[in-house]
Amino acid sequence: MKKRLYAVLSLVVIAALLLSLNVSWNMASGSTSQKTFKVGLVTDVGGVNDRSFNQSTYEGLKRAEKELKIKTTLIQSKQMTDYIPNLQKLAKANYDLIIAVGFLMHDSVVTVAKQFPKTKFLIIDSEISDLPNVASAMFREEQAGYLAGVAAALLEKAKFGRTTGKNVFGVVGGMKIPPVDRYIAGFKAGVLSEIPKAKVIIKYTGKFDDPASGKQVALSEIAQGADFVFQVAGQTGLGVIQAAKEKGVYAIGVDSDQSYVAPNTVVTSAMKRVDVATYSVIKDTLNGKFKSGIIYFDLKNNGVGLAPFMKGVPKSVSDKINKVIADIKAGKIKIPTEVK
């Protein structure tokens, strides 16, 4: 009886020892049961240093990396022909979610998403509603643009700082695409809601990655009397802000709070919280809650807004903006989405 008991105990000890060795081997070899969640980001031609649209997306990605403990990769596109190969590279590497930044990447995302139906994609600023593996983050840019236009007009009427009271406003767009036009349409409507006879000069450079052209167009608008220039041009818009700084007029930033580019020049920024949208979709995908189709971000869910004003802006302006925000949320203000 004792021999049989000793034999059983010996087998138990050996089994425990083997199990311990196996666990130790797995730990030493780096084997884990949980796969690392990987998210890749492909920028459009504006690049991640545009201090605007692409950069805001990247900030949302880095926040997710830090807070959600995921692996991230950034690929910057130099030209539009880079879009498909860059997306394919991440898909072939089995990334769990691939983010494409911008309306210009629409066709490339459709192509690659069909090639890799098991890979999930998020496109910023373009509507793709018929693919089960693609989510589209869309923004009510016209709401942010409207707030910026109201603010600029209020400051013009108050003869704030260096304004001349000529009631002329400049807008510099990059490419004439729907997201850009929604910002501009909103801005013009906002200005005219306060100054019905104001002159709003609208010009496009056709580029998102050329600050020199942005500066040149902005200078021409300033020469026509513009006290404010609103840039909706990505990296090109940095030239717009530079022109405003040199000529002593005010600039309005776009997509993110651009006050740090020129603190005494950028009076506010029409914000599109791409960082919020990016983080939100990454988190949902990680938690198994990925939803394909269109997701809208607006004033109600903090998806768009107006950045804090520079120092010295009268409280009355902030108070009026808060009232306008409440009216937009309540559906009392109808804002156009097309430039006329």
Side-chain angles (χ1 to χ4, degrees), residues 4-305:
R4 187 179 297 171
L5 182 59
Y6 287 147
V8 171
L9 287 171
S10 296
L11 287 173
V12 171
V13 172
I14 291 169
L17 181 61
L18 288 172
L19 179 61
S20 176
L21 288 171
N22 187 47
V23 171
S24 298
W25 167 256
N26 283 338
M27 291 177 68
S29 62
S31 174
T32 61
S33 59
Q34 187 174 3
K35 184 175 81 74
T36 301
F37 190 84
K38 299 190 295 183
V39 179
L41 170 64
V42 178
T43 72
D44 71 3
V45 293
V48 81
N49 291 321
D50 61 357
R51 299 190 184 184
S52 178
F53 188 72
N54 287 278
Q55 184 170 328
S56 184
T57 309
Y58 184 61
E59 287 169 357
L61 179 76
K62 297 307 288 183
R63 178 189 166 195
E65 179 184 56
K66 181 180 180 181
E67 295 183 13
L68 305 177
K69 310 301 181 187
I70 62 173
K71 178 185 176 182
T72 66
T73 295
L74 168 68
I75 299 180
Q76 300 195 66
S77 303
K78 301 298 182 185
Q79 52 199 10
M80 292 177 68
T81 52
D82 292 339
Y83 295 161
I84 286 179
N86 285 346
L87 292 167
Q88 288 174 330
K89 182 178 180 180
L90 293 172
K92 289 175 182 176
N94 296 315
Y95 272 68
D96 298 282
L97 178 66
I98 299 171
I99 303 170
V101 187
F103 177 86
L104 297 175
M105 297 186 72
H106 178 280
D107 292 348
S108 299
V109 170
V110 170
T111 297
V112 180
K114 288 180 178 178
Q115 293 173 349
F116 298 88
K118 293 183 179 179
T119 302
K120 294 178 175 65
F121 294 82
L122 165 64
I123 184 166
I124 307 289
D125 257 3
S126 185
E127 296 186 15
I128 300 177
S129 59
D130 56 349
L131 294 176
N133 59 331
V134 180
S136 295
M138 296 295 293
F139 300 82
R140 304 291 191 191
E141 292 96 346
E142 68 275 10
Q143 294 181 351
Y146 188 87
L147 295 177
V150 170
L154 290 172
L155 292 170
E156 181 78 0
K157 287 198 298 184
K159 291 187 168 55
F160 172 74
R162 303 184 293 273
T163 57
T164 62
K166 294 179 180 178
N167 296 339
V168 179
F169 304 80
V171 181
V172 181
M175 293 183 181
K176 186 175 171 56
I177 57 177
V180 171
D181 277 356
R182 287 194 290 270
Y183 266 130
I184 295 173
F187 180 81
K188 182 178 179 180
V191 169
L192 296 180
S193 72
E194 292 292 329
I195 308 176
K197 294 184 179 180
K199 182 178 181 181
V200 182
I201 308 166
I202 300 169
K203 295 183 179 180
Y204 299 83
T205 65
K207 297 180 179 180
F208 289 119
D209 57 353
D210 185 10
S213 67
K215 182 177 181 180
Q216 182 179 7
V217 171
L219 287 173
S220 71
E221 294 179 346
I222 293 167
Q224 294 178 66
D227 282 330
F228 295 85
V229 282
F230 176 37
Q231 77 93 351
V232 194
Q235 194 173 357
T236 297
L238 297 179
V240 176
I241 295 173
Q242 184 61 35
K245 182 178 179 180
E246 289 182 7
K247 293 298 181 179
V249 302
Y250 295 108
I252 296 174
V254 79
D255 292 334
S256 59
D257 184 350
Q258 295 191 307
S259 58
Y260 66 95
V261 178
N264 297 318
T265 298
V266 178
V267 71
T268 187
S269 300
M271 293 178 65
K272 176 160 61 177
R273 298 302 303 272
V274 185
D275 55 333
V276 171
T278 301
Y279 178 85
S280 174
V281 175
I282 291 174
K283 186 176 181 180
D284 283 349
T285 307
L286 175 64
N287 293 331
K289 298 178 181 178
F290 176 86
K291 290 182 181 179
S292 62
I294 301 168
I295 309 166
Y296 284 103
F297 293 87
D298 56 16
L299 281 172
K300 289 183 179 179
N301 62 7
N302 197 34
V304 301

Side-chain angles (χ1 to χ4, degrees), residues 305-326:
L306 199 63
F309 289 112
M310 66 161 51
K311 291 181 179 180
V313 169
K315 184 177 179 296
S316 59
V317 174
S318 298
D319 291 342
K320 179 62 184 288
I321 290 297
N322 288 335
K323 184 182 184 304
V324 173
I325 289 173

